[in-house]
Amino acid sequence: MIKVKNDKKFLPAIITELPGPKSKALINRDKKVISSSYTRGEPIVAHKGYGAMLEDPDGNRFLDFSAGIAVCSTGHCHPKIVEAITHQANSVIHMSGTDFYYEPQIRLAETLARIAPGKTPKKVFFCNSGTEAIEASIKLARYKTRRPRFIAFQGAFHGRTFGGMSLSCSKVVQKRYFSPLLPQIDHVPYAYCMRCAYNMTYPKCEMHCVRVIESQYFRQSIPPEEVAAFVVETIQGEGGYVVPPPEFHQELKKIAEKYGILYIVDEVQSGMGRTGKMFAIEHWGVEPDILATAKGIASGMPLGAIIAKADVMNWEPGTHASTFGGNPISCAAANATIELLESEYIENARKMGDVLTKGFKQLQKRFGVIADVRGRGLMIGIEFVTDKRTLKPDPKLRDDVVAETYKHGLILLGCGYNTLRFCPPLLVTREQCDYVVETLGTCLEKLTAGRTM
Ligand code: PLP
């Protein structure tokens, strides 16, 4: 067992066998009573968090480059977030925005309307999670257009409720035995250029994957006047941190506009500053009709929202609501989160994203198993293959890397079939990023020893 010695509070220190005795005891209790549907990876028990660091009950200190699945945007327990939560908890904990009014929710909606991409006036609907934001998007799109169908993408993940699950096309285990799903949803290939579904090469393909929607699908199988919306992740998250080319969203949006189809972007994972802009779609210069956000919005408090053009979000009272949606404490945390993002952390995400990407590209030169380093800001994926020529995926190596870096006190998650994702809190430092690149190099050295590439 590797022990990691470190006196620095903001770098890992592993002082026991992993998992330590207290963590082990908790995990044993957990196994008896918690649903077996969760996909637990490394046996990490969260006890205390600060910045990008997480301590387990045994006193081991981890550098958390998962951020609670891209949620803790301002780090763990940022003093300003704790203060906002505490202050609100001493004022009003709940009153339901469905029937009543409270200032933190109004202020948050004003802020979201201001920071949403595009100049068109916006309105906001609040819920509790990403999948609920997608449900709200589906309902609003159907209500607005009076059309039944949706077009979503292969590799997509939009959540676990019936609407979100039906739009998803990521892993079969998420759908098996849950049918019937929402009808009238078609999945078309995403612009995953490294593994193009049409075996073409960008840019020679001239965005075939987008053009074919109009030239083929709309002629053969999907009547465009029945389509309420495209639902698309700006950058695919669970599908493998897949970044589409510069024309993708613009070309798709043009088709949407031509046929009166709404453009719904799912920014649940890519939003709230993670990519070095408040919303990732700003990198593509497109104004969506509906934008779904959650995860990083409130630094770990449960909150989801859709931000829609005001003339799209004009449904009548009673059509949609949520008892807990837009809870005052979550809204207070979100207001404090956005202040921190705007004042320093979006800029930091951009800068530290560059540092990490540069470091990973250096590793790519050293290790033939790295086929791709991609991302924006602090949403970065590394795709592993057995062979760079055939691009045969190596999901085992990815899993081994997650397990090995854990022994060095680094918390990472996979995504897609064979991709390693980096979605740390947006306040990570240069020293922490250097540690991650160095540790990844050390682990790859060990795991690929003896391979010829
Ligand atoms: N949409 C995207 C792009 C996501 O990444 C996720 C979760 O990973 C969801 C929706 C669902 O969010 P939640 O788990 O908060 O319901």
Side-chain angles (χ1 to χ4, degrees), residues 1 13 16 31 60-61 97 118 154 167 189 198 201 225 260 280 295 299 311 330 345 360-361 394 398 416 439 452:
M1 173 61 64
T16 70
K31 280 205 175 95
N60 295 303
R61 200 164 67 220
Q154 290 170 7
L167 288 168
Y198 299 102
T201 310
E225 45 288 292
K295 284 196 187 281
S299 296
D311 68 344
S330 295
Y345 294 149
F360 294 153
K361 295 228 173 199
D394 196 342
R398 187 272 314 274
T439 302
T452 45

Side-chain angles (χ1 to χ4, degrees), residues 69 128-132 134 157-160 233 235 237-238 266-270 294-295 421:
I69 326 187
N128 305 284
S129 64
T131 198
E132 283 181 44
I134 294 300
F157 183 77
H158 297 290
R160 304 280 193 166
E233 286 165 274
I235 296 173
E238 303 302 302
D266 181 342
E267 291 256 2
V268 167
Q269 189 149 177
S270 60
K295 284 196 187 281
R421 76 173 114 175

